Structure formats: structure tokens, C-alpha cells
Amino acid sequence: MPNTSYDALIIGSGQAGNPLATTLADAGQRVVLVEENLLGGSCINYGCTPTKAMLASAERAHQLRTAGDYGLQPVKPAVDMAAVVARKNHIVQAMREGVRSNLTQERQGITVLHGQATFVGPRTVRVALAGGETQRLTAKKVFINTGTRAAIPDIEGLQDVPFLTTTQLLDLPEVPEHLLILGGGYIGLEFSQMYRRFGSRVTIIEAGRQLLEREDDDACQALTEVLEAEGVEIVLGAEVRRVSRSEAGVFTLTAHTATGERRLRGTHLLVATGRVPNTDTLGLDQAGVQLDEKGYIQVNARLETTVRGVYALGDVHGGPQFTHISYDDYRVVRANLLHRGPRRSARQRPLPYCVFTEPQLGRIGLNEQQAREQGIAYRVATLPVSTIGRARQTGRTTGFWKVLVGEDDRLLGATVLCAEGGEIMSMFQLIMAGRLKYEQLQNMVLAHPTWAEGLNNVFRELQKPELKA
């Protein structure tokens, strides 16, 4: 078994590991990157890229059906699901090849190995290569970027039926007749609207009292109404206790609800109940790397694990699981290892995110629930999207903007449920980064007619929040 030494060993080709590999190589270091599955990580292969590509197809189908609202003849689209999947695959493959080219053709000093890495010491791993050979690698520094996979709940009968994860559903070449979605988080919501627009009956089954448990009640209620208006059935407060499948291929979910037992039936079942870290096969105990109770790697503010010289980046160390946070993990490590100047921390950084339903739900900073929990005084204002000229002109009037302002007249956070909600949320993020006071936005000259004009008006009715009993 060959024993090879490198300056840096990166396990996992994700949104933190790939740019780190090229940056370290450009700095003159010898880098080896080990990937067990596909180059590009979850975002490119079964996360953001394929999901948003297929959401775009679903949006086109919705536009054809609703063309009558704009004075055009509506059309019932004939959805060619195999073609939708093929388009998605073409986009994914191009991005995957871009990663491969960047790592293997455009940079010297990077070795890419396909295989499973297992620690046999603090900074030593054994790699079982795809071809059957084995290599032993040692490095001055090791970076773990192995991500997460779908969490499968412990429900009677679930392991005995052919349920789908999001990865498998994205490759399904036909439109499900009736898709059951177990889980009401942002993944479940995006897939529910997507497949409803493709023509499926869709039922979301959620154990909690509302969708998107971390959001304020008004945002959850508004999104619930949006989905229900499109024909998505939503069952809340439903604890699924048993899953079965008949000989005819019909799934039955037996759930306990506040009104008694309920049985939900469908032709396909998507399990979207969260993620678990890919740490169980890494042999981290051999390295001395400590995990938390859920299997995530424990790290400090510099993303270093309990073993000196071993780092964890991306979803595998827990916390918010977003591509942009993983990429910022790369920037934290890059700054602390390669740049002179103040240390960069992975703590207390902005957390923007967006749920890509239509309308989108964009979030930055604090919402009301978080401000109350932290005891932070705030004023709040809500602007119905229907009051924005651009919304009326385009017919995209569903949703609202909500802003929280602190005692210093600066923005604490924003919730944007709106067409292009992610882009508008990013404007609020820039406002917060620039520490502008809300009065400056009220008096700013903004081009007409744009969505941004809402910045002139959203703060108009600022008031203290109502006290909740």
C-alpha cells in the first residue's frame, strides 16, 4: 500500500473543499482531494442546481396554465418529465465537468482520487480507491468536507417500502400521480409546489403545528395559503407511525393527529425530514476528532476540530446547511491560514437564505420570534406586496415585506415573501452591512418602476410589536 505525503488533504469535493484545493495549490502547496461519490458535492449534484433547474421548468408550466390572467389563451402543458430531467442533467453535468477541469486541468499541484477515505491516525487516512487499490495518505493539514445525506426517520414499515429521497425523485422520469411528502421544511415546500405544477396531486405531512418551524407565524401562514391555493394538501400536527405499500403500489401512511388516526394514501412517497452528517464511515475516533450527539464534527471559531491541523468545513460541522455558508467556511480557512491580518471567525456571521417557492421567502437577520427570544427591543413594519407598483404591473402581488428596526434606527432583520424575494432580501443585507438608518432609505431616489421602490415605503408604519399572551 503506497504511502504518500502532502501539504493538504481534502476529503470531499464540496463547495468549501473545491475552492480551498485550488487556492492552496496556487499558494504552492501539494494538495490531494479524495471524493467518494461525484465531484461538486451536494449543491451541484443533488441540491441547489438540479432542484432550481427543475423548478424553472415547473414555473414555465404554471405560466402556460395561468396565461389567461394576462389576456392570453391559457394552455394545458403536456409535461415531458424525461425531457425535464434530461435538461436538469445537462446543466448538472456541465457544472460537474467545470469542477473537474478546474481541479485537474487548470491547476498544477492537485491530485484527485476517487475512493473512500478512513482515518487511521490524526492526519493519516487510508483510501480504498474505486479501482480496488488502497493508498495511505498523510498530510500536514486535513480538511473534512463530506457534507450530509437524507435523514430517514425510524417509522414502522418505512425501510420495507421503496420510498424516495430528493436525490432519487430528481431522476424520476415520470410525473407521480399522487406524491406524499413527509416533512414540511423548505425542501418539502419547494418539491411540493414543483410537482403540483408538473401535474401531481401533492400532500405534505408535517408533525409540527406549522410549516417551516423557524419562521414567524405570518410567513408560515402566508406560504401555507399560497400552496393550498395551488392545490397542495397540507396536513399539520400529524405524527406518522406506520408506512405500508399495497400490491397495487399504493403507499399508506398511518398518522396520529389531534382529531384521531388518519390514513393518507398516494402513489409515491418522498422523505424530506432533514439531514444527517456523513461522518459515520470516516473513522474519526482513530483521529481523535470529537463529534456532537448528532454526529456532527465539533469545531472552534476557525473551523479547527479537536485535533490540531484537522478542520471541518460545510454541512458536516452542523449549523445552517447552505451552500453560501459552506463557501464562507472556505474563506474563513483561507484567511486564517494564508492571509496576514486579523483572524476571521465562523461565528456571528450574516445568515441570508431563501426558500425557492413562488413567491420566494428571503430572510436576513432577526425575525420577530428570534428578537423576542433574545430580549432585543424592536419596531416592526409590514408592507403588502400588492401595494408595490411593479407587483401590480406584473401580476405578482402575493406576499409581504416585514422589517425589524432597532432602537438606533438601523435594520435588525427582514422577511421578504415576494417575487424575487431572494434578490430583495440581499438588498436588505447590504443595508445592514452598510449600517444605514431607515430614514435614509425612505428618502433615497430609486428607479421607477422597480421592486426596490418598496424600500421607500416599507418603513412607513413602524410600530412597537404587540405583546403576546
Side-chain angles (χ1 to χ4, degrees):
M1 180 172 62
N3 189 348
T4 308
S5 179
Y6 291 88
D7 296 309
L9 163 62
I10 300 172
I11 305 174
S13 169
Q15 296 304 304
N18 292 333
L20 182 62
T22 57
T23 296
L24 293 176
D26 288 345
Q29 297 189 23
R30 294 182 66 241
V31 179
V32 59
L33 185 148
V34 181
E35 172 55 53
E36 183 178 359
N37 193 7
L38 299 168
L39 292 177
S42 61
C43 179
I44 288 177
N45 292 293
Y46 48 85
C48 312
T49 297
T51 303
K52 278 51 179 180
M54 290 178 66
L55 279 168
S57 295
E59 182 180 356
R60 295 298 189 278
H62 182 68
Q63 290 171 349
L64 291 173
R65 289 192 187 93
T66 59
D69 296 340
Y70 296 83
L72 305 174
Q73 187 66 38
V75 177
K76 183 179 180 180
V79 177
D80 184 347
M81 202 65 202
V84 171
V85 172
R87 174 183 179 273
K88 175 265 297 182
N89 288 343
H90 178 76
I91 295 171
V92 169
Q93 186 61 34
M95 296 189 71
R96 192 183 297 153
E97 288 303 318
V99 171
R100 180 179 297 279
S101 175
N102 193 37
L103 290 174
T104 62
Q105 297 177 21
E106 300 173 18
R107 295 293 196 290
Q108 293 183 346
I110 301 176
T111 299
V112 175
L113 299 177
H114 289 273
Q116 182 178 7
T118 305
F119 280 90
V120 293
R123 286 178 296 278
T124 303
V125 303
R126 181 179 64 249
V127 180
L129 298 171
E133 302 90 355
T134 300
Q135 282 195 21
R136 185 184 180 96
L137 308 176
T138 60
K140 297 175 183 177
K141 288 184 171 55
V142 179
F143 306 90
I144 305 168
N145 186 214
T146 51
T148 61
R149 62 184 184 274
I152 309 303
D154 184 15
I155 298 174
E156 180 185 349
L158 183 60
Q159 296 288 359
D160 301 324
V161 298
F163 65 86
L164 300 168
T165 64
T166 54
T167 305
Q168 295 161 328
L169 183 57
L170 287 167
D171 289 331
L172 198 68
E174 71 270 359
V175 177
E177 179 182 338
H178 186 175
L179 177 63
L180 304 174
I181 299 179
L182 187 57
Y186 71 90
I187 294 175
L189 267 59
E190 290 181 2
F191 275 85
S192 72
Q193 190 176 54
M194 178 199 303
Y195 278 88
R196 179 61 188 149
R197 290 180 168 187
F198 283 143
S200 299
R201 284 184 60 196
V202 177
T203 301
I204 297 175
I205 304 99
E206 165 59 37
R209 66 176 183 86
Q210 65 180 29
L211 302 175
L212 298 175
E213 61 180 358
R214 294 181 179 86
E215 304 302 329
D216 284 339
D217 291 349
D218 51 4
C220 297
Q221 182 60 35
L223 262 178
T224 298
E225 293 172 359
V226 165
L227 295 175
E228 289 181 335
E230 291 197 24
V232 176
E233 180 186 14
I234 299 173
V235 182
L236 299 174
E239 181 187 351
V240 176
R241 295 182 173 178
R242 188 172 185 275
V243 178
S244 61
R245 185 170 183 258
S246 70
E247 293 183 0
V250 176
F251 288 88
T252 299
L253 274 60
T254 303
H256 174 75
T257 71
T259 57
E261 185 177 275
R262 183 169 177 183
R263 294 183 179 179
L264 302 147
R265 294 181 173 85
T267 59
H268 295 73
L269 172 61
L270 170 65
V271 175
T273 52
R275 311 285 296 177
V276 294
N278 291 320
T279 55
D280 48 330
T281 63
L282 290 174
L284 292 173
D285 56 329
Q286 297 297 312
V289 173
Q290 293 184 9
L291 308 176
D292 68 13
E293 67 279 1
K294 295 183 178 180
Y296 290 98
I297 297 175
Q298 295 184 0
V299 295
N300 60 21
R302 300 185 305 278
L303 301 174
E304 193 170 24
T305 71
T306 50
V307 176
R308 185 176 179 84
V310 179
Y311 298 78
L313 300 87
D315 299 351
V316 76
H317 65 65
Q321 296 184 6
F322 299 109
T323 293
H324 45 281
I325 298 299
S326 295
Y327 187 78
D328 194 60
D329 281 357
Y330 147 70
R331 288 187 289 225
V332 169
V333 170
R334 177 189 64 183
N336 292 332
L337 294 184
L338 297 180
H339 295 175
R340 294 181 178 179
R343 294 270 184 162
R344 182 164 176 162
S345 173
R347 305 277 192 264
Q348 303 301 320
R349 52 187 169 182
L351 177 57
Y353 62 91
C354 184
V355 181
F356 286 89
T357 49
E358 189 182 13
Q360 297 173 6
L361 176 64
R363 279 263 284 108
I364 180 65
L366 300 177
N367 62 15
E368 288 197 80
Q369 176 182 326
Q370 292 166 331
R372 287 193 296 267
E373 290 173 351
Q374 297 178 33
I376 297 175
Y378 69 93
R379 287 164 289 163
V380 61
T382 300
L383 176 74
V385 170
S386 58
T387 65
I388 300 173
R390 185 64 177 167
R392 293 194 295 268
Q393 295 150 14
T394 59
R396 304 166 81 182
T397 57
T398 301
F400 63 88
W401 298 9
K402 182 167 68 171
V403 291
L404 272 64
V405 172
E407 294 179 323
D408 61 355
D409 291 340
R410 292 184 171 88
L411 196 62
L412 294 171
T415 298
V416 183
L417 180 64
C418 180
E420 309 303 336
E423 310 299 333
I424 297 164
M425 174 272 294
S426 297
M427 289 191 285
F428 283 115
Q429 183 178 358
L430 291 172
I431 291 163
M432 293 171 68
R435 294 187 54 76
L436 298 182
K437 294 189 175 183
Y438 78 88
E439 295 95 340
Q440 294 173 270
L441 304 170
Q442 288 181 307
N443 297 312
M444 187 176 291
V445 178
L446 298 166
H448 175 79
T450 62
W451 290 105
E453 282 185 296
L455 294 174
N456 287 154
N457 302 319
V458 66
F459 301 96
R460 184 179 296 164
E461 303 294 334
L462 273 177
Q463 54 191 313
K464 292 184 179 180
E466 295 182 8
L467 296 177
K468 293 199 173 185

